[in-house]
Amino acid sequence: MPKTDAILSAKSLHYFLQLIDTMNYTQAAQILGITQPALTQQIKKLEHTIGTPLFGQMGKKLYLTEAGKEMESGAKILLDTINSVVDNIQEFTQADKGNISIGILENIGTEVMRKFLVKFNQKFPNITLKVRYFNHEDLWHKLDNNLVDLAVMYLPDSTKNNHTDLQNQYDHLDIYRDKMLVLTHKDTVKAGQAYPVSRFTKRKWVAYPSDSYLSQLMKKYFTNKNKLIVPISFSSTKQLISTAQETNYDTFINKSYYESHKKNIKLTPVYLKGDKDFSISLVYRKGKKEIPRIKNILNEWKKFLDNIDYSSRLEGKE
């Protein structure tokens, strides 16, 4: 068997690229759903077959060797080709068979989407749904590299590096007009009202990681003189709110999450003056709708919301 047959499987390429994404064996193994020793063994096999290390280590930090960088470029091209071939084959299959990979931004409330996917699965049991949650940067990476079919994220996205690519390469379906909501301990504000950011510049915050969509939006309202003070951050909205309520820190979340969980939130919800709303959207590569199973799920999603709109479902009116 040629060496390339042993190493250039879709699985080995996927494992290799996932480790590059995290540069951490434990985190990569968790995302892949395998053990850390199993991932380490796969990488060592690659390195042994190639005859040179793909990763180096400086202290506790991994880095790509020159051979690793070369392998990364080739692996992305090969894996993209493999995924494209699979998609091309499945384009000619029936609309009720195949796989659909869905990536969801981790701080978006997903209960409405979860209920839809359950109903979709009951109607089309031969379509396998693979749902994973990502931070903002990783979700764009997966979408850019055709590793997810559909992405649930916020738009407009000013953090996207190439707006031309965003417009030319992707379509989107807006789901819900959302807005950032500040949850505060201040007793001098009224729920649902909008206030200038100056009312909050001296507050401390429990917030999402600095590279998240909402944190990036929030930073725009704070000047260099009045920087956002964040002693604690969480990627989980539930943990973020719980921590804010157990401390004197304020926080900020999206309105859609608040509408679904407001019975359990004790902080006062207010808006920032001048804050613009944004959309929770389904984003996908142009041409995906030509694939029967993708066209099918998009049509079923529209029917789902035509029956009861997203806003009503958020409030549990079903």
Side-chain angles (χ1 to χ4, degrees):
M1 177 189 299
K3 287 184 178 181
T4 51
D5 290 346
I7 64 169
L8 297 183
S9 66
K11 180 188 290 186
S12 66
L13 295 175
H14 183 46
Y15 285 7
F16 173 67
L17 292 176
Q18 185 59 65
L19 182 55
I20 292 175
D21 275 354
T22 62
M23 283 300 182
N24 183 291
Y25 276 95
T26 301
Q27 291 179 14
Q30 289 175 346
I31 292 171
L32 292 167
I34 61 175
T35 64
Q36 185 267 330
L39 175 59
T40 302
Q41 184 180 30
Q42 287 294 323
I43 299 301
K44 285 183 177 179
K45 283 183 179 179
L46 279 172
E47 293 178 328
H48 176 74
T49 307
I50 293 171
T52 187
L54 299 173
F55 295 90
Q57 192 161 349
M58 184 176 294
K60 294 183 178 181
K61 292 185 177 181
L62 288 179
Y63 65 89
L64 273 179
T65 63
E66 289 303 314
K69 293 177 183 178
E70 190 70 22
M71 184 68 179
E72 179 187 17
S73 299
K76 286 181 177 179
I77 294 171
L78 288 169
L79 192 57
D80 191 49
T81 300
I82 291 169
N83 288 332
S84 295
V85 169
V86 172
D87 277 341
N88 288 338
I89 292 172
Q90 290 187 335
E91 282 183 15
F92 303 101
T93 64
Q94 299 177 4
D96 59 352
K97 294 181 181 179
N99 301 315
I100 299 176
S101 175
I102 302 171
I104 301 178
L105 194 63
E106 59 190 359
N107 59 327
I108 289 181
T110 57
E111 186 60 16
V112 175
M113 177 61 69
R114 185 193 68 80
K115 289 181 177 180
F116 162 70
L117 293 176
V118 169
K119 289 183 178 294
F120 184 83
N121 171 254
Q122 291 171 344
K123 188 172 182 178
F124 302 98
N126 292 324
I127 293 180
T128 301
L129 301 170
K130 300 179 181 180
V131 183
R132 292 171 62 189
Y133 298 85
F134 301 97
N135 64 34
H136 179 257
E137 182 179 352
D138 287 345
L139 183 53
W140 268 119
H141 173 78
K142 298 297 181 184
L143 195 59
D144 281 339
N145 289 279
N146 204 30
L147 298 176
V148 295
D149 296 308
L150 303 171
V152 183
M153 58 171 58
Y154 295 130
L155 291 180
D157 189 351
S158 60
T159 66
K160 179 64 176 165
N161 291 331
N162 192 326
H163 291 281
T164 302
D165 286 348
L166 179 58
Q167 294 175 356
N168 293 340
Q169 296 183 14
Y170 297 98
D171 280 327
H172 67 276
L173 177 65
D174 289 338
I175 297 173
Y176 177 75
R177 294 302 295 177
D178 214 338
K179 198 172 182 68
M180 186 167 63
L181 196 66
V182 170
L183 300 178
T184 182
H185 291 272
K186 289 175 72 71
D187 56 9
T188 57
V189 296
K190 293 183 179 180
Q193 299 298 307
Y195 296 90
V197 70
S198 58
R199 295 284 294 270
F200 302 95
T201 51
K202 294 183 179 180
R203 303 293 297 175
K204 292 184 178 180
W205 305 81
V206 52
Y208 296 110
S210 60
D211 60 349
S212 73
Y213 186 87
L214 291 185
S215 288
Q216 292 291 327
L217 285 183
M218 193 63 160
K219 285 180 182 178
K220 291 180 180 180
Y221 298 106
F222 281 72
T223 63
N224 291 330
K225 183 179 178 180
N226 297 306
K227 291 184 178 180
L228 197 65
I229 304 173
V230 183
I232 308 176
S233 63
F234 291 96
S235 59
S236 164
T237 305
K238 183 178 180 180
Q239 292 179 347
L240 187 148
I241 293 172
S242 295
T243 304
Q245 293 189 151
E246 292 172 11
T247 65
N248 192 40
Y249 302 149
D250 290 347
T251 190
F252 49 91
I253 62 172
N254 52 318
K255 179 184 176 183
S256 58
Y257 189 96
Y258 178 80
E259 291 297 335
S260 297
H261 302 84
K262 57 186 175 183
K263 291 181 180 179
N264 300 317
I265 298 176
K266 302 174 183 177
L267 301 175
T268 303
V270 298
Y271 301 101
L272 294 180
K273 276 190 176 180
D275 183 23
K276 296 180 180 179
D277 59 3
F278 46 87
S279 288
I280 298 177
S281 302
L282 268 173
V283 182
Y284 49 92
R285 281 180 172 273
K286 287 187 175 180
K288 281 286 184 180
K289 286 179 69 174
E290 304 306 314
I291 301 173
R293 67 191 185 282
I294 303 299
K295 183 178 181 180
N296 186 11
I297 195 170
L298 291 174
N299 287 339
E300 290 296 321
W301 173 251
K302 290 178 181 178
K303 292 178 184 177
F304 181 73
L305 295 187
D306 285 343
N307 185 29
I308 302 175
D309 64 54
Y310 194 88
S311 182
S312 296
R313 290 184 185 278
L314 279 175
E315 298 174 9
K317 299 176 181 179
E318 300 181 50

